[in-house]
Structures are given as structure tokens and as C-alpha cells.
Amino acid sequence: MQATRIIAIRHGETPWNVDTRIQGQLDIGLNDTGKWQARRVGYALREEPITAIYSSDLARAFETAHAIAQGHARAAQLGVVGHTGLRERHFGHLQGQTWAEIESGWPEDAKRWRGRDPHWSPVGGESLTVLRERIATCVHALASQHLGEQIVLVAHGGVTDALYRLATQQSLDAPRTWHLGNAAINRLLWTPQGLSLVGWGDVSHLEEADGTPRDETTT
């Protein structure tokens, strides 16, 4: 049975991660720590046999993916392909708000968000169910082109959470017990039957001062 190996990376840290502000599909770039994390993950993957790098087209992910491509031993041959299917969950009217602002201004939304209601969506945004289906469809389309090869997917906390749940068959409303750190290395295997987990949350390449990745707490 042929399979596609996937390295899934959450983008490096951003100013809004530090401020606990919901980014969603707003286009926020990396901060200095995030740029350092991106370079470090690029160095960690420099000798990996990588056929293609796909990234969310949002700046924080695309910058991280570009650092991975530039740091690779085959940098001249590796480019980054942006894909809207790898974007973060759209948080609608909650995008740009801090957690505290959401708790005080939209308490009912906060309750349903924190309770992981699979069918609730912020006004103008996506539900967890819609997000999961988008990610499953996107990964199937990309991975099926690379049987027998290894690809990198650079995306967001909500996306990597969806990948973990798909690979482990965790329900959307199950409490999260796994880490979703900035620039952590996560490994999965894709076959036409679906995803399976190989390894998760490797941050050994970030174990230096100020490099500790922040967990994604909006999922």
C-alpha cells in the first residue's frame, strides 16, 4: 500500500498570539520570536527528503514555510505553494478580539466556543464541523498527488488540531489533551483510507531561551 508522509507545522509566533487575540483569517505576520522559530524548524528539516511544501496563504504561515524552503539542502528546487484550504478557521465577528473581550462582550458565544460545540459558528465564520471537512478535503487533494513521497504542510493551530483529530478519530467536542505549539514538528501518514499519527509535538529544535512555543489555546 502506498502512502504519503506528511510533516505538519503550525506557524511561528505572532504578536497576536502574545496578546491572546483571535487571528482567524486576518493576515498577521510573525514577530521576532516567530521568525526565529521558523528558521529553527527550517534548520531541523534541512536534510529531510521533501518533495513539496504547501502552506496557508496567510502571512504567518507563508513566512514560516518560506523559511523551511530556504533552509533546506535543496532550497533552489523547493518553492512554497500557497493554498487557501489550509487557512485557519474563520472566526467571523470574533476575529481581532482578545479572549477577555469575547468573554465579556459575547458570553454566549464564549460558552459555545469553549465548550467546543461542533455546529456553532461565529457570525460570518466557520463551525468546527465545516473546518474539519475543509481540512480533510484539502489534505486528501494534496497528499494524493504525492504517493510514496513526503510533503510539508504549514498552517495554523485550528488546522493542526483538525489533523490530529482526523488521525486519531477524536470527536470534535472532545477536550484537547495534545499540544499545538508554534513551529512544532508533527508527523502523519496519509493513505486513501485516511490519516494516521506517526509523531506529534516535537519541539527539540526550539529548546533555547525565548524559543518555547506557545500552545494554541483558541481550539
Side-chain angles (χ1 to χ4, degrees), residues 2-6 142-151 188-191 195:
Q2 284 191 303
T4 302
R5 289 173 293 154
I6 296 174
L142 297 178
S144 62
Q145 301 175 46
H146 296 282
L147 289 172
E149 300 172 341
Q150 180 168 249
I151 63 174
L188 306 108
L189 197 68
W190 179 91
T191 70
L195 286 167

Side-chain angles (χ1 to χ4, degrees), residues 168-190:
T168 60
Q169 300 182 24
Q170 297 266 355
S171 66
L172 288 173
D173 58 357
R176 180 166 64 84
T177 58
W178 49 94
H179 197 256
L180 300 173
N182 292 113
I185 296 173
N186 309 297
R187 297 178 186 271
L188 306 108
L189 197 68
W190 179 91

Side-chain angles (χ1 to χ4, degrees), residues 101-112:
E101 289 167 346
I102 294 170
E103 295 285 352
S104 62
W106 297 274
E108 182 58 32
D109 284 344
K111 179 181 178 181
R112 299 185 71 181

Side-chain angles (χ1 to χ4, degrees), residues 37-47 67-68 71-72 205:
Q37 291 171 336
R39 291 192 299 269
R40 291 299 301 170
V41 74
Y43 183 78
L45 299 177
R46 68 194 183 282
E47 300 293 343
I68 294 171
H72 198 266
H205 54 292

Side-chain angles (χ1 to χ4, degrees), residues 57-150:
D57 62 338
L58 297 175
R60 55 195 185 271
F62 205 83
E63 288 178 47
T64 305
H66 183 70
I68 294 171
Q70 288 298 104
H72 198 266
R74 291 176 47 243
Q77 303 172 46
L78 276 179
V80 178
V81 179
H83 199 299
T84 58
L86 293 172
R87 284 185 175 186
E88 180 60 286
R89 178 185 180 184
H90 199 307
F91 271 88
H93 72 295
L94 300 181
Q95 294 185 160
Q97 308 298 321
T98 66
W99 306 339
E101 289 167 346
I102 294 170
E103 295 285 352
S104 62
W106 297 274
E108 182 58 32
D109 284 344
K111 179 181 178 181
R112 299 185 71 181
W113 167 39
R114 292 303 192 189
R116 298 195 57 83
D117 182 337
H119 305 294
W120 169 80
S121 59
V123 176
E126 292 178 296
S127 68
L128 288 172
T129 302
V130 168
L131 173 67
R132 180 182 59 187
E133 293 309 307
R134 168 161 65 83
I135 300 309
T137 299
C138 179
V139 171
H140 177 88
L142 297 178
S144 62
Q145 301 175 46
H146 296 282
L147 289 172
E149 300 172 341
Q150 180 168 249

